[in-house]
């Protein structure tokens, strides 16, 4: 409207000035009048615009106005807007959000009702007279959100009069009371975006924390698993956590920036302020000039600093964390240090050696490092220690949650102080500005060190006197015999070098290691799979889709493509390549090569035309094709493959995810174990391990693994037992709670066995051509494998003996694990947890 008015009047005045031709003496007066007219018109226009937009486009909400769906508040300069949005085109879920209004991408920076989307069209945002913003439904019965739900007001008088809510140009929604005092502000309740002027951290007086919480997914703003902010333990650190574990650690503030985030030194876009005192620990930033920048914690846990560049009018990624492998928390384990430009990336700190040399050589760094020589500390009763320090240069300082800080201590005094305390493992400057000042001392194990090419940070590591001198002839390269090298990846990836230096004490050093893993070209793979077309997709593997392909020379291949986003997948991918390249057996799927190009990571296997065992076993039409002899051969084949993994290969491998869909069948129906993404390698003398991250498939998991995360060869034996019973019965063992029938197959097998009716378990589609003794032997072996206590289960070598000999003198099985309490005849110890087991399984699904 305003624009039409404007142009009409302009035309009018232009015509006028052309029609009349006044003498030059009065020309000026006329001009002045015209100018006045113009100003007058413009004033009217501006007024029109203000009036027109007053009902829904001001920047304030008062107790007498209501914001309904379709209305919005726009900040004074138009930078930000607040209103109702949906996150998908079709969604009926509406949210109150603040977004960039001026920027064409309209990125959302804050969501009010992230926990409770609006589901009725008539919901409205109102300001109650006590200064509370309320987002309520039609009947006023549904409160979707209120500004009180996320704050505690105790020092503010709620009897405030005439409150107003205003959207500021900073993107902050503030509620102000009668005296203009701030009652509430959205900046104190951040969602996933950190804007200039906000503060992340802790108000130590009120105990209020401000941190970012990721969205659950790009279309779901409800709180996701990741939190970004300042962690207070020890010396405060910036970082991103997933639950109680670090996802990425930005480290302590060291004057010039955060130790683990060199980018935070500022730039010509923004300056950072960090305040740490008795009252607050707070991180904030301000843009330089009129630069637009934001920091966002993405749904996948990645923190990103974005800067708006105009031209070309788009967000530019200034920084991202985690950014490389070394950014993954404690990638190299305890006392290890990560160097992203080195191969391998992890080495032990000076004076330390790998805890598990074999795993270390195979690039499983999780075990970390141990001291070569114990510290003298504590043994020398004179109180004077012979320990000393070696500088570790150009680093990100270790995790300071075990550290203490003293800003007044000079570096020399810091060193002396550290030596006096037995738990002190190292120290560094606390403030690296100018000449440096202050002191941080680490009082425990050191985690998450990494190398930065340009860092000025030095960490002083405490070592025993004998490790003080760096011994050049101790250099690994001088003595290392590289037994095998599988060159697979280019830069930034990894080499497989089984390093049999004197540190590696393997019972059985790799024997068959003379192989080269061919590198496939991306184009070749793309061609072979019709550009990864959907109709070539065979299914989903452990970490991404699997495609069928045919190379130019007619060879059929299966291509496993690692999903790009998953870093977990990347580790598993590496694990798998390392393992498979080493393992060669008739009953293991053969790796033909790999492809790492254009951020793609793929594994190329021999193609198995008969797909996986489950496609036969659990298919009413196809299971008929599996007669007893074939089933028996499959059981024996799997057992042989597993025995090779457990005992006969160069390294001990525990598969951890043995199941019917991971058994592939070749043309002759020879079974091949596949999917080593979850497998773990064990040192020769290691028998079992424990993990916090229980991976695998319910239904095949042994009790001790599912409950306590303990896995050993005996957990694979359990899975083998389940698989054997499945092959015999043609039924799936369901690991979840179905009307009391959890672990149904095991219960049924055990019941029939006890009743002497074990033959009833046999799949009825098997024709009567089987040997009853063979079937009974297999059922018995299956039951022995699924015994509750790992000690009661046989080893794979025993199983091969049982299977291939005619010896019927097998031990009698007891009640299997995961079978109902009433039927449990053996261990009392486990019975109270039966409910817990079921619960775990139910929740786990
Ligand atoms: C939503 O609609 C917009 C505009 O019509 C379109 O560009 C976009 O692709 C749609 N998004 C989805 C997920 O359908
Ligand atoms: C303010 O008013 C709303 C509704 O009128 C009420 O739900 C809320 O409890 C009040 N807050 C306080 C602090 O009294
Ligand atoms: C709240 O208001 C009452 C009455 O106006 C006044 O006496 C009291 O001091 C106020 N309290 C605060 C914390 O401002
Ligand atoms: C994040 O902030 C919330 C709200 O103050 C707090 O409850 C939570 O403990 C904080 N989380 C972390 C990891 O600091
Ligand atoms: C670090 O040192 C610089 C220069 O001495 C000083 O200006 C700054 O305030 C110090 N920072 C901290 C956090 O102490
Ligand atoms: C990291 O690795 C690179 C490449 O091997 C090497 O040049 C550099 O010196 C290493 N940095 C440190 C601090 O060890
Ligand atoms: C204990 O300290 C004394 C004094 O420095 C030194 O002479 C002695 O060798 C130390 N003893 C041991 C066991 O390190
Ligand atoms: C060593 O440091 C720890 C942590 O600061 C402290 O608890 C302990 O008392 C210190 N021990 C000695 C002997 O000073
Ligand atoms: C590293 O240091 C060199 C020399 O001091 C400097 O030119 C370069 O810009 C630095 N690189 C980074 C990424 O800071
Ligand atoms: C250096 O290493 C060599 C060989 O490993 C060893 O014989 C020698 O004693 C070491 N020297 C020192 C000072 O540790
Ligand atoms: C694959 O894509 C490329 C480029 O997009 C195209 O040239 C080629 O013809 C495609 N190949 C197949 C088999 O679709
Ligand atoms: C789970 O087991 C623990 C001990 O193992 C027991 O204390 C707890 O009550 C059990 N929970 C349920 C729900 O049975």
């Amino acid at each position: 409207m305003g624009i039409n008015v404007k142009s009409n009047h302009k035309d009018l005045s232009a015509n006028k000035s052309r029609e009349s031709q006044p003498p030059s003496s009065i020309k000026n007066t006329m001009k002045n009048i015209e100018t006045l007219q113009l100003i007058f018109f413009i004033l009217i226009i501006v007024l029109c615009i203000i009036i027109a937009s007053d009902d829904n486009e001001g920047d304030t909400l008062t107790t007498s106005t209501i914001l309904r769906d379709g209305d919005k508040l726009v900040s004074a300069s138009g930078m930000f807007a607040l209103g109702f949005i949906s996150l998908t085109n079709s969604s009926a879920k509406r949210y109150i959000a603040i977004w960039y209004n001026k920027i064409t991408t309209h990125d959302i920076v804050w969501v009010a009702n992230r926990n409770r989307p609006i589901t009725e069209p008539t919901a409205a945002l109102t300001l109650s007279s006590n200064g509370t913003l309320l987002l309520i439904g039609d009947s006023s019965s549904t409160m979707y959100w209120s500004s009180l739900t996320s704050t505690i007001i105790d020092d503010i008088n709620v009897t405030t009069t005439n409150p107003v809510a205003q959207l500021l140009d900073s993107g902050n929604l503030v509620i102000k009371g009668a005296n203009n005092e701030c009652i509430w502000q959205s900046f104190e309740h951040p969602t996933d975006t950190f804007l200039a002027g906000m503060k992340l951290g802790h108000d130590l007086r009120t105990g209020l924390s401000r941190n970012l919480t990721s969205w659950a997914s790009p279309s779901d703003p409800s709180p996701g698993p990741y939190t970004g902010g300042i962690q207070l333990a020890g010396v405060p650190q910036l970082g991103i956590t997933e639950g109680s574990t670090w996802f990425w650690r930005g480290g302590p503030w060291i004057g010039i920036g955060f130790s683990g985030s060199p980018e935070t030194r500022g730039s010509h876009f923004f300056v950072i302020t960090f305040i740490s005192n008795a009252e607050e620990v707070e991180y904030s930033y301000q843009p330089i000039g009129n630069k637009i920048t934001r920091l966002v914690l993405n749904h996948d846990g990645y923190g990103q600093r974005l800067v708006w560049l105009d031209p070309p009018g788009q967000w530019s990624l200034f920084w991202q964390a985690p950014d490389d492998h070394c950014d993954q928390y404690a990638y190299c384990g305890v006392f290890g240090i990560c160097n992203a430009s080195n191969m391998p990336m992890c080495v032990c700190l000076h004076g330390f050696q790998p805890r598990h040399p074999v795993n270390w050589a195979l690039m499983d760094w999780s075990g970390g490092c141990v001291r070569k020589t114990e510290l003298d500390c504590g043994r020398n009763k004179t109180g004077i220690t012979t320990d000393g320090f070696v500088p570790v240069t150009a680093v990100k300082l270790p995790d300071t949650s075990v550290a203490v800080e003293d800003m007044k201590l000079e570096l020399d005094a810091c060193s002396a102080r550290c030596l006096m305390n037995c738990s002190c493992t190292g120290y560094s400057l606390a403030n690296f500005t100018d000449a440096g000042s202050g002191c941080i001392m680490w009082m425990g194990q050191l985690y998450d060190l990494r190398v930065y090419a340009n860092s000025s940070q030095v960490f002083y590591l405490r070592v025993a006197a004998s490790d003080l001198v760096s011994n050049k002839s101790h250099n690994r390269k001088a003595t290392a015999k590289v037994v095998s090298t599988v060159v697979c990846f280019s830069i930034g990836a990894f080499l497989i070098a089984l390093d049999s230096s004197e540190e590696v004490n393997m019972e059985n050093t790799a024997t068959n290691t003379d192989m080269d893993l061919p590198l496939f070209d991306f184009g070749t793979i793309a061609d072979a799979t019709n550009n990864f077309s959907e109709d070539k997709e065979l299914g989903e593997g452990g970490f991404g889709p699997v495609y069928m392909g045919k190379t130019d020379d007619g060879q059929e291949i299966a291509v496993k493509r690692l999903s790009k986003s998953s870093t977990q997948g990347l580790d598993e991918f590496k694990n798998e390549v390392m393992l498979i390249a080493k393992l060669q057996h008739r009953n293991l799927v053969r790796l033909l090569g790999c492809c790492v190009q254009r951020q793609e990571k793929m594994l190329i296997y021999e193609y198995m035309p008969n797909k996986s065992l489950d496609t036969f076993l659990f298919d009413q039409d196809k299971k008929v094709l599996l007669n007893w002899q074939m089933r028996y051969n499959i059981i024996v084949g799997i057992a042989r493959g597993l025995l090779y993994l457990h005992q006969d290969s160069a390294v001990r491998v525990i598969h951890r995810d043995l199941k019917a869909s991971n058994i592939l069948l070749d043309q002759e129906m020879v079974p091949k174990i596949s999917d080593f993404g979850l497998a773990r390698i064990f040192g020769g003398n290691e028998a079992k391990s424990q993990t916090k991250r229980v991976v695998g498939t319910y239904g095949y998991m042994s009790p001790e693994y599912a409950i306590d995360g303990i896995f050993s060869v005996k957990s694979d034996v359990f899975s083998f037992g389940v698989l054997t019973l499945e092959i015999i019965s043609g039924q799936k063992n369901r690991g979840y709670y179905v009307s009391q029938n959890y672990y149904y197959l095991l219960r049924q097998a055990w019941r029939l066995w006890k009743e002497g009716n074990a033959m009833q378990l046999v799949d009825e589609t098997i024709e009567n051509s089987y040997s009853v003794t063979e079937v009974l032997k297999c059922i018995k072996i299956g039951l022995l494998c699924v015994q509750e206590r790992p000690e009661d289960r046989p080893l794979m070598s025993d199983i091969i003996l049982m299977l291939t000999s005619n010896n019927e003198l097998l031990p009698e099985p007891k009640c299997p694990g995961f079978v109902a309490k009433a039927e449990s005849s053996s261990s009392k110890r486990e019975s109270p947890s039966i409910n817990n087991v079921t619960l775990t399984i139910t929740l786990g699904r």
Side-chain angles (χ1 to χ4, degrees):
M1 250 269 281
I3 288 163
N4 283 340
V5 171
K6 187 176 178 176
S7 57
N8 285 344
H9 283 279
K10 241 188 184 167
D11 285 351
L12 214 65
S13 60
N15 288 343
K16 252 185 203 164
S17 63
R18 245 181 272 128
E19 276 162 21
S20 49
Q21 292 287 333
S24 66
S25 57
I26 42 172
K27 223 178 188 173
N28 281 342
T29 334
M30 283 296 288
K31 258 222 170 99
N32 282 343
I33 289 169
E34 274 178 30
T35 317
L36 276 174
Q37 271 181 337
L38 207 69
I39 290 171
F40 177 71
F41 286 135
I42 289 172
L43 269 176
I44 286 180
I45 291 156
V46 169
L47 217 68
C48 281
I49 291 171
I50 289 172
I51 289 166
S53 57
D54 190 49
D55 51 359
N56 64 355
E57 295 224 337
D59 67 350
T60 51
L61 191 69
T62 64
T63 49
S64 56
T65 50
I66 291 178
L67 198 76
R68 295 189 186 282
D69 204 336
D71 302 341
K72 59 181 179 177
L73 300 183
V74 177
S75 69
S77 76
M79 190 63 202
F80 288 96
L82 176 146
F84 292 73
I85 52 135
S86 289
L87 290 160
T88 54
N89 286 349
S90 56
S91 179
K93 294 177 177 174
R94 305 284 285 169
Y95 297 92
I96 290 272
I98 297 176
W99 63 88
Y100 283 102
N101 188 47
K102 247 187 191 168
I103 287 176
T104 48
T105 46
H106 296 312
D107 312 85
I108 293 165
V109 298
W110 186 77
V111 178
N113 54 323
R114 63 186 307 192
N115 285 308
R116 187 158 184 195
I118 307 161
T119 47
E120 52 193 310
T122 49
L125 185 69
T126 59
L127 183 63
S128 81
S129 55
N130 62 19
T132 310
L133 274 172
L134 302 168
L135 178 57
I136 44 181
D138 199 11
S139 53
S140 301
S141 58
T142 322
M143 170 92 79
Y144 291 103
W145 176 79
S146 105
S147 58
L148 273 185
T149 53
S150 44
T151 188
I152 310 139
I153 303 177
D154 42 21
D155 55 349
I156 288 164
N157 227 335
V158 292
T159 58
T160 179
T161 49
N162 298 327
V164 289
Q166 185 178 16
L167 180 62
L168 305 182
D169 268 333
S170 56
N172 194 5
L173 176 68
V174 295
I175 304 174
K176 287 189 262 185
N179 306 320
N180 235 16
E181 82 278 14
C182 178
I183 301 176
W184 181 93
Q185 52 181 317
S186 64
F187 268 20
E188 291 198 336
H189 307 277
T191 54
D192 70 338
T193 305
F194 184 31
L195 292 172
M198 270 167 113
K199 285 177 174 178
L200 284 191
H202 303 262
D203 186 328
L204 300 176
R205 293 158 303 184
T206 63
L208 198 71
S209 298
R210 283 186 293 274
N211 50 45
L212 303 179
T213 318
S214 65
W215 286 19
S217 80
S219 57
D220 179 4
S222 67
Y226 300 99
T227 306
I230 305 291
Q231 296 288 316
L232 286 176
V235 176
Q237 300 184 92
L238 174 72
I240 299 169
T241 53
E242 184 182 5
S244 57
T245 59
W246 287 108
F247 181 64
W248 169 74
R249 190 180 64 88
W253 179 259
I254 51 166
I256 51 173
F258 289 99
S259 169
S261 182
E263 308 75 11
T264 53
R265 289 186 197 167
S267 69
H268 49 284
F269 295 114
F270 56 90
V271 281
I272 286 176
T273 313
F274 185 79
I275 296 166
S276 179
N277 55 37
E279 297 182 339
E280 57 178 346
V281 179
E282 238 129 30
Y283 164 35
S284 58
Y285 69 92
Q286 285 298 335
I288 293 173
N290 53 4
K291 295 283 193 306
I292 299 169
T293 166
R294 68 188 160 121
L295 207 147
V296 57
L297 178 61
N298 285 331
H299 71 100
D300 53 9
Y302 284 74
Q304 292 185 328
R305 159 75 68 182
L306 299 151
V307 174
W308 181 256
L309 295 184
D310 200 3
Q314 64 189 34
W315 290 105
S316 152
L317 182 61
F318 178 78
W319 162 85
Q320 166 171 300
D323 200 27
D324 60 16
H325 282 289
C326 291
D327 269 350
Q328 285 179 41
Y329 181 74
Y331 189 63
C332 297
V334 63
F335 295 115
I337 182 165
C338 191
N339 181 347
S341 41
N342 205 15
M343 266 192 241
M345 281 187 236
C346 292
V347 292
C348 288
L349 287 169
H350 181 87
F352 288 78
Q353 62 196 12
R355 185 189 300 275
H356 305 303
V358 177
N359 290 7
W360 194 265
L362 286 167
M363 275 167 273
D364 175 356
W365 291 302
S366 54
C369 306
V370 290
R371 281 188 194 280
K372 288 179 182 161
T373 317
E374 279 312 308
L375 294 176
D376 154 67
C377 178
R379 263 182 279 143
N380 196 333
K381 296 285 182 285
T382 61
I384 302 158
T385 171
T386 58
D387 298 336
F389 295 95
V390 289
V392 186
T393 53
V395 289
K396 161 179 173 179
L397 297 175
D399 189 345
T400 56
S401 54
V402 295
V404 291
E405 190 177 42
D406 187 336
M407 292 310 288
K408 294 192 194 74
L409 218 54
E410 293 300 322
L411 208 56
D412 287 350
C414 187
S415 162
R417 181 83 66 87
C418 182
L419 281 180
M420 275 159 56
N421 190 321
C422 268
S423 8
C424 184
T425 47
Y427 68 94
S428 83
L429 281 173
N431 182 351
F432 284 78
T433 317
D434 302 333
S437 59
C439 159
I440 303 177
M441 283 175 282
W442 278 260
M443 298 295 182
Q445 298 193 312
L446 304 175
Y447 284 96
D448 199 35
L449 282 100
R450 67 163 297 171
V451 167
Y452 286 123
N454 259 12
S455 165
S456 59
Q457 300 173 50
V458 183
F459 173 70
Y460 296 92
L461 173 71
R462 182 178 192 169
V463 293
S466 56
D467 291 324
L468 267 178
V469 196
S470 61
N471 190 340
K472 284 283 178 249
S473 69
H474 205 73
N475 190 333
R476 292 168 77 247
K477 279 187 185 122
T479 50
K481 269 192 309 204
V482 175
V483 173
S484 84
T485 311
V486 181
V487 182
C488 181
F489 299 150
S490 53
I491 184 85
F494 67 99
L495 275 172
I496 297 174
L498 183 62
D499 179 353
S500 71
S501 67
E502 73 281 315
E503 289 174 353
V504 182
N505 294 315
M506 278 177 74
E507 293 168 348
N508 184 359
T509 336
T511 46
N512 181 18
T513 50
D514 218 31
M515 73 295 200
D516 255 340
L517 196 61
L519 260 176
F520 281 69
D521 171 60
F522 180 84
T524 312
I525 304 296
D527 283 349
T529 58
N530 278 353
N531 289 343
F532 304 100
S533 75
E534 255 173 46
D535 55 320
K536 290 281 178 182
E537 199 171 319
L538 296 170
E540 281 287 312
F543 48 61
V546 183
Y547 299 89
M548 189 256 166
K550 200 170 198 173
T551 57
D552 283 343
D553 52 12
Q555 188 181 18
E556 289 188 316
I557 54 173
V559 179
K560 230 178 192 194
R561 193 182 195 189
L562 178 70
S563 21
K564 276 177 217 162
S565 57
S566 131
T567 53
Q568 190 63 54
L570 187 63
D571 281 349
E572 284 165 5
F573 176 77
K574 292 174 162 188
N575 207 357
E576 179 152 3
V577 175
M578 268 155 33
L579 280 170
I580 302 258
K582 290 197 167 307
L583 304 172
Q584 300 216 0
H585 187 271
R586 177 178 150 82
N587 296 111
L588 301 186
V589 69
R590 199 156 70 85
L591 185 68
L592 300 175
C594 65
C595 168
V596 178
Q597 228 172 322
R598 306 198 205 161
Q599 296 174 317
E600 292 276 0
K601 291 163 199 69
M602 289 178 277
L603 291 175
I604 293 98
Y605 293 95
E606 55 181 338
Y607 175 66
M608 293 290 154
N610 280 324
K611 308 216 172 117
S612 52
L613 179 59
D614 61 327
T615 62
F616 279 89
L617 213 48
F618 308 131
D619 183 291
Q620 285 312 319
D621 298 330
K622 283 174 84 182
K623 71 197 313 188
V624 188
L625 301 173
L626 289 180
N627 63 26
W628 172 250
Q629 196 52 47
M630 278 162 129
R631 293 190 197 214
Y632 183 71
N633 289 345
I634 289 171
I635 293 173
V636 175
I638 298 168
R640 289 215 170 101
L642 215 48
L643 174 66
Y644 172 80
L645 289 179
H646 286 180
Q647 261 165 284
D648 294 347
S649 67
V651 286
R652 171 176 290 181
V653 175
I654 294 175
H655 187 287
R656 292 211 288 173
D657 198 17
L658 195 69
K659 55 179 169 183
S661 59
N662 280 341
I663 306 296
L664 303 183
L665 299 168
D666 76 359
Q667 216 118 30
E668 277 90 46
M669 300 296 276
V670 173
K672 313 252 182 183
I673 301 174
S674 79
D675 218 330
F676 292 78
L678 304 174
R680 279 287 279 270
I681 315 159
F682 280 75
N685 50 0
E686 238 182 318
K688 62 179 185 182
S689 184
Q690 191 161 10
T691 178
K692 278 187 213 142
R693 194 175 149 251
V694 173
V695 290
T697 307
Y698 289 105
Y700 293 92
M701 270 190 212
S702 63
E704 75 278 5
Y705 181 43
I707 300 165
D708 299 322
I710 296 172
F711 59 95
S712 64
V713 290
K714 294 295 184 71
S715 29
D716 274 357
V717 168
F718 186 96
S719 310
F720 173 78
V722 173
L723 198 48
T724 301
L725 294 173
E726 286 186 341
I727 292 170
I728 296 167
S729 66
Q731 291 178 47
K732 208 164 167 48
N733 185 41
R734 291 176 205 285
Y736 51 87
Y737 190 95
V738 188
S739 58
Q740 300 285 327
N741 286 336
Y742 44 90
Y743 280 77
Y744 172 75
L745 180 59
L746 300 196
R747 282 159 51 92
Q748 195 196 19
W750 173 238
R751 184 174 52 79
L752 291 172
W753 180 265
K754 267 195 315 184
E755 294 167 3
N757 295 327
M759 289 310 289
Q760 284 180 22
L761 192 70
V762 181
D763 191 342
E764 53 196 22
T765 63
I766 301 181
E767 291 176 0
N768 282 340
S769 61
Y770 50 77
S771 134
V772 173
T773 49
E774 216 168 60
V775 171
L776 282 177
K777 187 171 68 178
C778 287
I779 296 177
K780 195 170 186 181
I781 291 171
L783 285 170
L784 285 171
C785 290
V786 296
Q787 295 293 289
E788 179 145 23
R789 287 150 44 94
E791 309 85 277
D792 293 340
R793 297 175 210 148
L795 287 168
M796 284 321 292
S797 49
D798 304 328
I799 293 168
I800 293 286
L801 271 179
M802 293 173 183
L803 280 169
T804 50
S805 68
N806 284 326
N807 184 358
E808 283 295 311
L809 297 173
L810 307 182
E812 260 321 291
K814 293 180 279 188
C815 176
F818 284 133
V819 170
K821 192 151 87 181
E823 289 175 338
S824 171
S825 57
S826 56
S827 82
K828 261 185 198 149
R829 184 174 53 85
E830 296 282 357
S831 25
S833 62
I834 290 286
N835 279 334
N836 276 353
V837 172
T838 325
L839 202 65
T840 315
I841 291 161
T842 315
L843 293 174
R845 293 292 303 199

